[in-house]
Amino acid sequence: MSAVIECHNLKTAYSPSLQRPILNGISCQIHHGEFVALLGLNGAGKSTLLRSLVGLVPLERGSININGVPVNPRTLPQIRRDIGMLFQGGGLIRQLSAIDNVLCGKLGTRTTWQTLFGFPKHDRRQALEILEQLGLRTQAYQKTSQLSGGQQQRVAIARALIQSPQILLADEPITGLDVMACKQVMDTLSQLHSQKGITIVTVLHDLGIAAEYAQRAIVLDAGRVVYDGVCENLQARFSGMRG
């Protein structure tokens, strides 16, 4: 299985609040088609690691390759075209409709001049098709501020999918959601993984959810990898971990 993400000896800036670097020598590989959960206590470095993959966190040391391409300022536009990103809370524009939020995922492929004339019909059709696949066709023209938390997160997934990503990075996608909404979001990610073969890396806090959905867990502690392996027996191994 080929590695689509390769991290070698990653180190980020020193954090005064943590009294250490946020990432402190992390190395790992993630392979094509894997569903990987990043786990650890608050401050362990999970979200920092995820964001560093797309250049949102500067590194003091180390290297990252995505699909064999080194991550640096020159290559970031190319790399980001193949990666969908889900942020905690969705990161949607609440005043826009669901379909317009989804279409924002196309902005990276359009010039400023093209954007002034709006999105062509085929883009809008594609956005509607994706929303329908995620069970949101009837909410397509509602403002996202009127949608439930679970629906908003699925709109965010649709926005990522319209990019046709090879990799989907999800930073705490179910934080703050109720049990039913958590299941809907995680089921959606699982379907994308199994049906479309998308590589998924997600930050999670719940060991049980990680064991249910992910194939593999990478557990961080104090900016280092302390476990990298299958999700079986996670709860027994890390029973005291909350975060």
Side-chain angles (χ1 to χ4, degrees):
M1 205 176 340
S2 59
V4 294
I5 299 172
E6 298 175 277
C7 301
H8 178 68
N9 200 25
L10 305 186
K11 183 175 180 180
T12 57
Y14 184 85
S15 168
S17 61
L18 297 174
Q19 298 294 302
R20 57 170 174 78
I22 303 173
L23 303 182
N24 194 16
I26 285 180
S27 296
C28 61
Q29 291 187 344
I30 293 168
H31 299 95
H32 175 72
E34 282 193 304
F35 192 136
V36 179
L38 295 181
L39 300 163
L41 297 171
N42 288 331
K46 306 178 298 295
S47 293
T48 300
L49 174 58
L50 197 77
R51 289 166 178 258
S52 72
L53 301 179
V54 286
L56 296 178
V57 175
L59 297 173
E60 284 195 347
R61 186 181 70 207
S63 63
I64 301 171
N65 285 359
I66 306 289
N67 287 322
V69 178
V71 175
N72 57 52
R74 182 179 58 81
T75 61
L76 272 176
Q78 170 196 346
I79 286 170
R80 286 175 176 172
R81 282 195 289 269
D82 294 329
I83 297 177
M85 187 83 189
L86 297 180
F87 296 98
Q88 184 178 346
L92 302 174
I93 303 173
R94 293 173 57 81
Q95 293 75 24
L96 293 182
S97 65
I99 188 171
D100 285 334
N101 269 284
V102 174
L103 287 166
C104 286
K106 285 282 190 181
L107 291 176
T109 64
R110 297 172 62 81
T111 65
T112 303
W113 182 253
Q114 287 174 322
T115 304
L116 291 175
F117 290 93
F119 293 93
K121 289 182 179 179
H122 63 81
D123 281 352
R124 302 190 74 83
R125 279 197 302 270
Q126 183 185 9
L128 282 173
E129 288 169 1
I130 294 172
L131 286 170
E132 186 167 9
Q133 291 168 12
L134 299 185
L136 294 170
R137 177 63 179 82
T138 57
Q139 289 82 21
Y141 294 98
Q142 286 183 244
K143 289 184 178 180
T144 52
S145 59
Q146 299 172 335
L147 303 181
S148 69
Q151 289 172 331
Q152 289 181 24
Q153 195 60 282
R154 281 184 285 154
V155 171
I157 293 172
R159 181 186 58 193
L161 289 181
I162 204 168
Q163 301 173 229
S164 300
Q166 298 176 24
I167 301 167
L168 187 61
L169 307 178
D171 189 4
E172 303 185 35
I174 57 174
T175 297
L177 301 182
D178 61 33
V179 173
M180 181 62 70
C182 285
K183 178 172 171 50
Q184 289 174 340
V185 171
M186 292 306 300
D187 283 350
T188 299
L189 293 179
S190 181
Q191 289 165 9
L192 294 175
H193 170 254
S194 61
Q195 296 174 9
K196 296 182 180 293
I198 296 175
T199 303
I200 295 177
V201 185
T202 181
V203 173
L204 295 172
H205 291 290
D206 190 298
L207 296 174
I209 289 176
E212 180 178 356
Y213 288 96
Q215 298 169 315
R216 175 180 162 204
I218 297 176
V219 182
L220 305 184
D221 182 39
R224 297 181 181 275
V225 175
V226 295
Y227 177 80
D228 183 351
V230 297
C231 290
E232 294 177 9
N233 301 318
L234 271 180
Q235 289 173 301
R237 185 185 290 262
F238 298 102
S239 58
M241 188 183 75
R242 294 289 184 272

